[in-house]
Amino acid sequence: MTMLDGFGAVLFDFDGTLVDVEVDWSLVRRDAAATLAADAGLAPEGGLGRMAQMAEDALGARGRELLARVLARHEGRAGMRPGPEGCELLRRAMAAVPVGVVSNNLRGTVLAGLRAVGVDPAALVVVGFEDVARSKPDPQGIRLALSRLAPFAGQALYVGDSETDRQAALAAGVAFRHIGQAARDNGE
């Protein structure tokens, strides 16, 4: 029996699960806080997930646009390393069931990372930061990916590396499996 048995679709987190995006997330947080303060008069605290929530609540789509610009500055010049465990599991899943990636990273970063590890992004559903109104741990991205994969038979599985991933999976009503590093500082 494998981790994939019994699931009709498998979704993956991106950064820390399939690929390690080599970004200084503490610098991204500082840049995001400074941008939100200068452009919108907000005083955000905490991780990027919390900042995104605050920006979305206060500014709606404009808040997400401000954060997307910050992410683009940093992710656009980031290196990427494959996560061997996640990439192997992704390849096994792609041979068996419908597959997707749900990430708080920008869609372009996810697409580039998938290509870098030899995966054709057209072979799966990709939901990135700009595809949803709320970032994980909100389940919106997982629900959107599942709707794009439908119809599929059976329960879905979400594979990720963080507590934010686990919370999003549980909120979406799908099973969760942790892989990758036990603790990460990826801005969440």
Side-chain angles (χ1 to χ4, degrees):
M1 234 169 126
T2 71
M3 181 190 299
L4 300 175
D5 289 345
F7 295 102
V10 181
L11 301 175
F12 290 84
D13 171 52
F14 177 69
D15 188 13
T17 302
L18 299 175
V19 171
D20 287 323
V21 179
E22 296 171 335
V23 167
D24 181 346
W25 291 108
S26 62
L27 180 60
V28 176
R29 282 192 299 274
R30 285 193 304 272
D31 190 6
T35 297
L36 291 172
D39 291 2
L42 297 177
E45 298 178 347
L48 286 175
R50 191 172 309 152
M51 284 187 206
Q53 197 75 40
M54 174 186 258
E56 293 158 5
D57 289 345
L59 305 168
R62 180 168 175 257
R64 287 196 71 76
E65 289 168 13
L66 290 172
L67 288 176
R69 286 200 312 254
V70 171
L71 288 173
R73 280 195 298 268
H74 293 274
E75 290 181 5
R77 58 181 181 246
M80 295 187 210
R81 289 178 293 122
E85 182 183 10
C87 287
E88 173 59 28
L89 188 58
L90 174 67
R91 286 181 178 86
R92 287 196 341 246
M94 289 177 72
V97 296
V99 175
V101 176
V102 178
S103 179
N104 284 346
N105 292 92
L106 294 172
R107 170 182 273 281
T109 301
V110 175
L111 297 175
L114 290 170
R115 285 187 208 93
V117 298
V119 173
D120 178 5
L124 41 85
V125 167
V126 175
V127 175
F129 178 85
E130 59 270 65
D131 296 317
V132 293
R134 294 267 200 220
S135 300
K136 293 181 295 178
D138 189 281
Q140 186 179 64
I142 291 174
R143 290 180 179 146
L144 177 60
L146 290 174
S147 74
R148 291 178 178 173
L149 289 175
F152 62 88
Q155 173 73 13
L157 171 66
Y158 188 67
V159 179
D161 69 313
S162 70
E163 176 61 18
T164 298
D165 294 328
R166 187 188 72 77
Q167 290 172 4
L170 294 176
V174 303
F176 175 74
R177 298 292 184 276
H178 178 271
I179 65 169
Q181 299 175 16
R184 289 178 40 83
D185 181 24
N186 63 353
E188 295 176 351

